[in-house]
Amino acid sequence: MDRIGVVIETDRGELKKTNFGVITAARRSGAELYALLPDEFAASYQPLLEKYGIGKIIPIVSESGAVIFNPASRAKAVIQALYRFDIRTLFGLASPRGKDLLPRVAAELEAPLAMDCTAVAPEESTVVKSHYSGKVIAKFRLSGNYRIYGLRPNAVEAVAAPAAAEILPFQARTEPEALQFVESTERTDTGAELSEADVIISGGRGMAGPENFALLFECAGLMRGAVGASRAAVDAGWIPYAHQVGQTGQTVSPKVYIACGISGSVQHFAGMKTAGMVIAINIDPEAPIMQRCDYFAVDDLFDVVPALIENLKRLIGDR
Ligand SMILES: Cc1cc2nc3c(=O)[nH]c(=O)nc-3n(C[C@H](O)[C@H](O)[C@H](O)COP(=O)(O)OP(=O)(O)OC[C@H]3O[C@@H](n4cnc5c(N)ncnc54)[C@H](O)[C@@H]3O)c2cc1C
């Protein structure tokens, strides 16, 4: 039976839920699924990984414990696990971490790499990706002894298919790297990670200033969503770059994307066009986003968003 390795990402000791879409995509080939965990393993991960069909869980450790977050040594540890378990196909998230790790693995193995895929068929080695700011959807075929796929977070819906998993810890050999890990700092801004969120409410130049983003954070908190932004808002210094959606920001695929005071440039759409539903709030009925959304409100966001917050509070209070 073919084997597929899936690099599993965690965040603050919890499995990221976007892993489950990646596992679902890998499972469709009928291969045996190996979850590769370079982050510290917790027993609570096992039932969740089993729920989506993982057959083997490989916690990867180094001689001194967990593999520290150095992308160079992590890539080597993952490659050693691929060799050890004879895995030729590797899946992962095209998340910030995945974009650091997967290309290093591919380069070291001289393997073809397809990043930011919106669909994958590993049994025929093909992927679907968007190009030129989303104007072209292309299908590629990968060939080689090893094949590496990075999936856009949330591009594939997670579907459960319970299995029983065996835990096979693997100790990698680490060597001193040219790239030294010095320190990491936790993000201090509030809100869920963009790529993980089911609902994103984003603000653009129409937000008119940094202080008004508090409205979006309040609204996102009530929806258990995340706050995004256009480049205009980020360039104005109203919100950190980590929130930027678009060609030069993050690519997101939430179930619902609410654009507030965003005109809908090609570059912005490049980052959110795969959202399940797009809702635009804009005073200009001629704004490009109005032609490309599922629902719109031709209205002032400073009237609509507070009304949305009030309604959400009422709904939550009624439950
Ligand atoms: C190489 C390159 C890369 C780029 N990458 C990105 C990227 O990653 N992400 C990105 O977003 N952009 C990117 N851009 C910039 C992009 O071209 C646009 O300039 C940008 O997206 C515009 O941001 P905006 O929609 O917030 O601003 P605007 O285009 O100025 O639109 C503001 C909108 O707010 C509306 N508005 C104003 N007041 C209100 C109100 N009170 N209530 C409701 N609506 C209101 C207006 O009607 C208008 O439609 C890139 C550009 C280039 C050249």
Side-chain angles (χ1 to χ4, degrees):
M1 192 194 252
D2 284 345
R3 296 174 175 182
I4 295 183
V6 182
V7 179
I8 301 296
E9 291 192 21
T10 65
D11 184 25
R12 288 163 220 181
E14 303 221 348
L15 290 181
K16 288 186 175 181
K17 69 180 173 41
T18 41
N19 290 307
F20 306 132
V22 180
I23 297 171
T24 302
R27 198 183 64 223
R28 287 184 184 143
S29 65
E32 192 178 11
L33 299 185
Y34 285 64
L36 306 179
L37 271 139
D39 291 336
E40 205 161 329
F41 177 67
S44 60
Y45 300 165
Q46 184 172 358
L48 283 167
L49 294 170
E50 287 181 330
K51 181 176 169 191
Y52 291 93
I54 290 289
K56 310 270 190 234
I57 299 173
I58 319 291
I60 303 177
V61 293
S62 70
E63 300 86 342
S64 53
V67 184
I68 51 159
F69 189 71
N70 177 336
S73 40
R74 281 201 166 200
K76 289 192 183 143
V78 167
I79 290 168
Q80 289 171 31
L82 296 183
Y83 289 151
R84 164 68 185 80
F85 295 100
D86 194 21
I87 299 167
R88 305 293 175 101
T89 303
L90 183 66
F91 276 55
L93 281 161
S95 59
R97 279 193 175 192
K99 285 176 185 167
D100 209 347
L101 179 77
L102 298 177
R104 291 174 192 277
V105 174
E108 194 88 16
L109 292 173
E110 296 188 6
L113 165 75
M115 288 300 277
D116 205 28
C117 309
T118 51
V120 181
E123 64 285 6
E124 55 178 36
S125 305
T126 57
V127 301
V128 175
K129 281 166 58 74
S130 82
H131 280 262
Y132 307 119
S133 298
K135 291 199 193 78
V136 172
I137 305 292
K139 188 173 182 180
F140 293 89
R141 175 164 285 116
L142 282 67
S143 59
N145 285 336
Y146 289 89
R147 290 172 293 278
I148 320 285
Y149 304 98
L151 265 87
R152 180 178 294 187
N154 284 327
V156 176
E157 190 168 347
V159 179
E166 189 182 354
I167 301 181
L168 302 169
F170 173 69
Q171 185 178 313
R173 289 181 320 278
T174 50
E175 295 155 18
E177 296 290 345
L179 183 69
Q180 302 275 311
F181 176 80
V182 181
E183 62 171 354
S184 71
T185 313
E186 286 276 322
R187 269 173 54 175
T188 51
D189 53 349
T190 54
E193 196 182 307
L194 270 186
S195 62
E196 289 286 298
D198 283 336
V199 184
I200 294 177
I201 183 161
S202 280
R205 208 190 306 272
M207 294 303 296
E211 64 286 358
N212 298 324
F213 271 87
L215 266 181
L216 301 192
F217 278 105
E218 184 177 1
C219 196
L222 292 165
M223 297 186 290
R224 297 207 185 132
V227 174
S230 73
R231 179 163 160 179
V234 171
D235 284 353
W238 299 346
I239 183 160
Y241 170 73
H243 295 265
Q244 185 178 317
V245 172
Q247 186 183 324
T248 45
Q250 289 205 53
T251 306
V252 295
S253 282
K255 292 193 173 119
V256 180
Y257 188 87
I258 309 173
C260 306
I262 292 178
S263 61
S265 64
V266 189
Q267 294 88 358
H268 192 77
F269 259 93
M272 40 60 84
K273 64 178 296 198
T274 50
M277 177 193 289
V278 177
I279 303 171
I281 304 167
N282 201 303
I283 42 174
D284 177 8
E286 305 296 325
I289 198 162
M290 303 309 230
Q291 318 300 321
R292 299 185 67 188
C293 61
D294 299 288
Y295 297 96
F296 60 74
V298 182
D299 212 335
D300 191 321
L301 73 92
F302 295 107
D303 292 330
V304 179
V305 178
L308 179 58
I309 290 172
E310 284 317 306
N311 276 294
L312 284 168
K313 281 183 178 164
R314 193 166 45 73
L315 275 172
I316 292 166
D318 285 351
R319 274 198 214 135

mmCIF file of all heavy atoms in Angstrom, residues 250-270:
data_model
loop_
_atom_site.group_PDB
_atom_site.id
_atom_site.type_symbol
_atom_site.label_atom_id
_atom_site.label_comp_id
_atom_site.label_asym_id
_atom_site.label_seq_id
_atom_site.Cartn_x
_atom_site.Cartn_y
_atom_site.Cartn_z
ATOM 1 N N GLN A 250 -1.561 37.353 3.006
ATOM 2 C CA GLN A 250 -1.928 35.941 3.162
ATOM 3 C C GLN A 250 -3.032 35.546 2.189
ATOM 4 O O GLN A 250 -3.853 36.370 1.794
ATOM 5 C CB GLN A 250 -2.449 35.703 4.574
ATOM 6 C CG GLN A 250 -1.356 35.771 5.602
ATOM 7 C CD GLN A 250 -1.728 34.973 6.839
ATOM 8 O OE1 GLN A 250 -2.085 33.796 6.772
ATOM 9 N NE2 GLN A 250 -1.660 35.615 7.976
ATOM 10 N N THR A 251 -3.031 34.280 1.833
ATOM 11 C CA THR A 251 -4.116 33.709 1.041
ATOM 12 C C THR A 251 -5.023 32.966 2.017
ATOM 13 O O THR A 251 -4.543 32.139 2.785
ATOM 14 C CB THR A 251 -3.546 32.720 0.012
ATOM 15 O OG1 THR A 251 -2.550 33.409 -0.728
ATOM 16 C CG2 THR A 251 -4.619 32.224 -0.929
ATOM 17 N N VAL A 252 -6.304 33.279 1.982
ATOM 18 C CA VAL A 252 -7.211 32.685 2.962
ATOM 19 C C VAL A 252 -8.400 32.041 2.259
ATOM 20 O O VAL A 252 -8.758 32.435 1.145
ATOM 21 C CB VAL A 252 -7.709 33.753 3.965
ATOM 22 C CG1 VAL A 252 -6.561 34.295 4.801
ATOM 23 C CG2 VAL A 252 -8.429 34.901 3.261
ATOM 24 N N SER A 253 -8.988 31.043 2.907
ATOM 25 C CA SER A 253 -10.176 30.365 2.352
ATOM 26 C C SER A 253 -11.210 30.162 3.447
ATOM 27 O O SER A 253 -11.576 29.016 3.752
ATOM 28 C CB SER A 253 -9.798 28.998 1.778
ATOM 29 O OG SER A 253 -9.201 29.110 0.542
ATOM 30 N N PRO A 254 -11.699 31.229 4.060
ATOM 31 C CA PRO A 254 -12.686 31.022 5.120
ATOM 32 C C PRO A 254 -14.042 30.649 4.524
ATOM 33 O O PRO A 254 -14.252 30.785 3.315
ATOM 34 C CB PRO A 254 -12.766 32.401 5.784
ATOM 35 C CG PRO A 254 -12.474 33.348 4.667
ATOM 36 C CD PRO A 254 -11.487 32.644 3.773
ATOM 37 N N LYS A 255 -14.966 30.233 5.375
ATOM 38 C CA LYS A 255 -16.321 29.962 4.886
ATOM 39 C C LYS A 255 -16.995 31.287 4.522
ATOM 40 O O LYS A 255 -17.730 31.362 3.549
ATOM 41 C CB LYS A 255 -17.131 29.232 5.953
ATOM 42 C CG LYS A 255 -16.590 27.820 6.192
ATOM 43 C CD LYS A 255 -17.554 26.981 7.006
ATOM 44 C CE LYS A 255 -17.048 25.552 7.063
ATOM 45 N NZ LYS A 255 -16.771 25.071 8.389
ATOM 46 N N VAL A 256 -16.737 32.324 5.330
ATOM 47 C CA VAL A 256 -17.359 33.637 5.085
ATOM 48 C C VAL A 256 -16.287 34.727 5.181
ATOM 49 O O VAL A 256 -15.493 34.732 6.130
ATOM 50 C CB VAL A 256 -18.470 33.924 6.125
ATOM 51 C CG1 VAL A 256 -19.115 35.285 5.852
ATOM 52 C CG2 VAL A 256 -19.526 32.834 6.125
ATOM 53 N N TYR A 257 -16.275 35.614 4.184
ATOM 54 C CA TYR A 257 -15.328 36.743 4.181
ATOM 55 C C TYR A 257 -16.131 38.033 4.079
ATOM 56 O O TYR A 257 -16.895 38.224 3.124
ATOM 57 C CB TYR A 257 -14.384 36.616 2.973
ATOM 58 C CG TYR A 257 -13.261 37.629 2.985
ATOM 59 C CD1 TYR A 257 -12.075 37.362 3.670
ATOM 60 C CD2 TYR A 257 -13.376 38.853 2.323
ATOM 61 C CE1 TYR A 257 -11.039 38.275 3.698
ATOM 62 C CE2 TYR A 257 -12.339 39.773 2.348
ATOM 63 C CZ TYR A 257 -11.177 39.481 3.036
ATOM 64 O OH TYR A 257 -10.141 40.396 3.067
ATOM 65 N N ILE A 258 -15.996 38.897 5.083
ATOM 66 C CA ILE A 258 -16.756 40.161 5.092
ATOM 67 C C ILE A 258 -15.763 41.298 4.854
ATOM 68 O O ILE A 258 -14.842 41.509 5.653
ATOM 69 C CB ILE A 258 -17.490 40.360 6.439
ATOM 70 C CG1 ILE A 258 -18.310 39.105 6.807
ATOM 71 C CG2 ILE A 258 -18.389 41.595 6.381
ATOM 72 C CD1 ILE A 258 -18.937 39.147 8.196
ATOM 73 N N ALA A 259 -15.930 41.994 3.730
ATOM 74 C CA ALA A 259 -14.996 43.074 3.360
ATOM 75 C C ALA A 259 -15.653 44.418 3.686
ATOM 76 O O ALA A 259 -16.686 44.761 3.122
ATOM 77 C CB ALA A 259 -14.680 42.987 1.876
ATOM 78 N N CYS A 260 -15.025 45.164 4.584
ATOM 79 C CA CYS A 260 -15.589 46.453 5.009
ATOM 80 C C CYS A 260 -14.727 47.591 4.469
ATOM 81 O O CYS A 260 -13.539 47.676 4.818
ATOM 82 C CB CYS A 260 -15.608 46.546 6.530
ATOM 83 S SG CYS A 260 -16.434 45.174 7.328
ATOM 84 N N GLY A 261 -15.288 48.424 3.627
ATOM 85 C CA GLY A 261 -14.529 49.562 3.100
ATOM 86 C C GLY A 261 -13.333 49.126 2.283
ATOM 87 O O GLY A 261 -12.265 49.724 2.360
ATOM 88 N N ILE A 262 -13.524 48.054 1.503
ATOM 89 C CA ILE A 262 -12.474 47.513 0.618
ATOM 90 C C ILE A 262 -13.025 47.547 -0.799
ATOM 91 O O ILE A 262 -14.139 47.054 -1.043
ATOM 92 C CB ILE A 262 -12.097 46.068 1.027
ATOM 93 C CG1 ILE A 262 -11.383 46.083 2.386
ATOM 94 C CG2 ILE A 262 -11.230 45.390 -0.036
ATOM 95 C CD1 ILE A 262 -11.005 44.712 2.919
ATOM 96 N N SER A 263 -12.261 48.125 -1.742
ATOM 97 C CA SER A 263 -12.814 48.311 -3.095
ATOM 98 C C SER A 263 -12.831 47.014 -3.904
ATOM 99 O O SER A 263 -13.641 46.853 -4.800
ATOM 100 C CB SER A 263 -12.014 49.388 -3.844
ATOM 101 O OG SER A 263 -10.669 48.979 -3.957
ATOM 102 N N GLY A 264 -11.895 46.078 -3.590
ATOM 103 C CA GLY A 264 -11.878 44.804 -4.312
ATOM 104 C C GLY A 264 -10.900 44.802 -5.464
ATOM 105 O O GLY A 264 -11.243 44.414 -6.591
ATOM 106 N N SER A 265 -9.663 45.216 -5.198
ATOM 107 C CA SER A 265 -8.631 45.200 -6.246
ATOM 108 C C SER A 265 -8.297 43.752 -6.622
ATOM 109 O O SER A 265 -8.563 42.818 -5.848
ATOM 110 C CB SER A 265 -7.358 45.880 -5.734
ATOM 111 O OG SER A 265 -6.838 45.130 -4.657
ATOM 112 N N VAL A 266 -7.692 43.599 -7.803
ATOM 113 C CA VAL A 266 -7.258 42.259 -8.247
ATOM 114 C C VAL A 266 -6.326 41.655 -7.202
ATOM 115 O O VAL A 266 -6.405 40.455 -6.895
ATOM 116 C CB VAL A 266 -6.467 42.371 -9.577
ATOM 117 C CG1 VAL A 266 -6.197 41.008 -10.178
ATOM 118 C CG2 VAL A 266 -7.155 43.267 -10.544
ATOM 119 N N GLN A 267 -5.455 42.506 -6.664
ATOM 120 C CA GLN A 267 -4.461 41.986 -5.709
ATOM 121 C C GLN A 267 -5.124 41.533 -4.413
ATOM 122 O O GLN A 267 -4.662 40.597 -3.772
ATOM 123 C CB GLN A 267 -3.398 43.051 -5.407
ATOM 124 C CG GLN A 267 -2.517 43.419 -6.580
ATOM 125 C CD GLN A 267 -3.095 44.537 -7.435
ATOM 126 O OE1 GLN A 267 -4.189 45.029 -7.185
ATOM 127 N NE2 GLN A 267 -2.353 44.953 -8.446
ATOM 128 N N HIS A 268 -6.187 42.199 -4.016
ATOM 129 C CA HIS A 268 -6.881 41.765 -2.793
ATOM 130 C C HIS A 268 -7.612 40.451 -3.075
ATOM 131 O O HIS A 268 -7.522 39.510 -2.279
ATOM 132 C CB HIS A 268 -7.849 42.849 -2.308
ATOM 133 C CG HIS A 268 -8.360 42.555 -0.921
ATOM 134 N ND1 HIS A 268 -7.596 42.777 0.213
ATOM 135 C CD2 HIS A 268 -9.519 42.013 -0.492
ATOM 136 C CE1 HIS A 268 -8.280 42.386 1.273
ATOM 137 N NE2 HIS A 268 -9.451 41.920 0.875
ATOM 138 N N PHE A 269 -8.287 40.386 -4.218
ATOM 139 C CA PHE A 269 -9.018 39.161 -4.571
ATOM 140 C C PHE A 269 -8.101 37.956 -4.662
ATOM 141 O O PHE A 269 -8.511 36.832 -4.362
ATOM 142 C CB PHE A 269 -9.800 39.356 -5.872
ATOM 143 C CG PHE A 269 -11.253 39.607 -5.604
ATOM 144 C CD1 PHE A 269 -11.734 40.891 -5.492
ATOM 145 C CD2 PHE A 269 -12.138 38.552 -5.410
ATOM 146 C CE1 PHE A 269 -13.066 41.131 -5.198
ATOM 147 C CE2 PHE A 269 -13.468 38.778 -5.118
ATOM 148 C CZ PHE A 269 -13.942 40.070 -5.010
ATOM 149 N N ALA A 270 -6.852 38.197 -5.061
ATOM 150 C CA ALA A 270 -5.918 37.073 -5.184
ATOM 151 C C ALA A 270 -5.788 36.325 -3.863
ATOM 152 O O ALA A 270 -5.455 35.147 -3.841
ATOM 153 C CB ALA A 270 -4.550 37.576 -5.631
#
